[in-house]
Amino acid sequence: ALHQPLPTDRRSHMFVAQALPLLGPELFKCLMRQEEEQDDDSWNRATAAGACLMLLAEAAPEIIVGTVVPFVQAKISDATDWRSREAAMMALGSILDGPPPEQ
């Protein structure tokens, strides 16, 4: 079978925008599940969720900030739970390259 070239006029169907309200909370739960003594190079739920957020930020940079910032604001100052602070930092770091500078 011959490969046909991809169309150059790709159209966004906004799948990420539609799924983000459901995906966001689940990804945030996974970010909160860091292991007690994990290696920096280990792959687990938290690192997978961070990678997923990064890809979502690339796919829908205009809407990712509105989903992630409330989570970061709620968790970053939790002095009683290191997992909350770590999850907030991972979420913020995961979207740094995605949104446009004006956001």
Side-chain angles (χ1 to χ4, degrees), residues 71-79 84-86 88-89:
F71 173 77
V72 171
Q73 289 174 330
K75 300 298 182 182
I76 195 75
S77 60
D78 187 346
S84 292
R85 293 188 309 275
E86 179 79 13
M89 293 302 298

Side-chain angles (χ1 to χ4, degrees), residues 26-92:
E26 293 304 315
L27 291 173
F28 299 147
K29 286 179 195 174
C30 290
L31 283 173
M32 298 283 293
R33 293 186 177 174
Q34 301 101 357
E35 296 171 6
E36 193 70 35
E37 294 187 26
Q38 68 185 17
D39 296 329
D40 289 339
D41 296 331
S42 66
W43 186 259
N44 54 41
R45 286 183 191 193
T47 54
C52 187
L53 275 176
M54 183 180 67
L55 294 171
L56 290 172
E58 289 175 12
E62 62 283 346
I63 62 165
I64 196 75
V65 173
T67 301
V68 172
V69 167
F71 173 77
V72 171
Q73 289 174 330
K75 300 298 182 182
I76 195 75
S77 60
D78 187 346
T80 61
D81 185 15
W82 67 268
R83 285 183 174 90
S84 292
R85 293 188 309 275
E86 179 79 13
M89 293 302 298
M90 286 179 68
L92 187 59

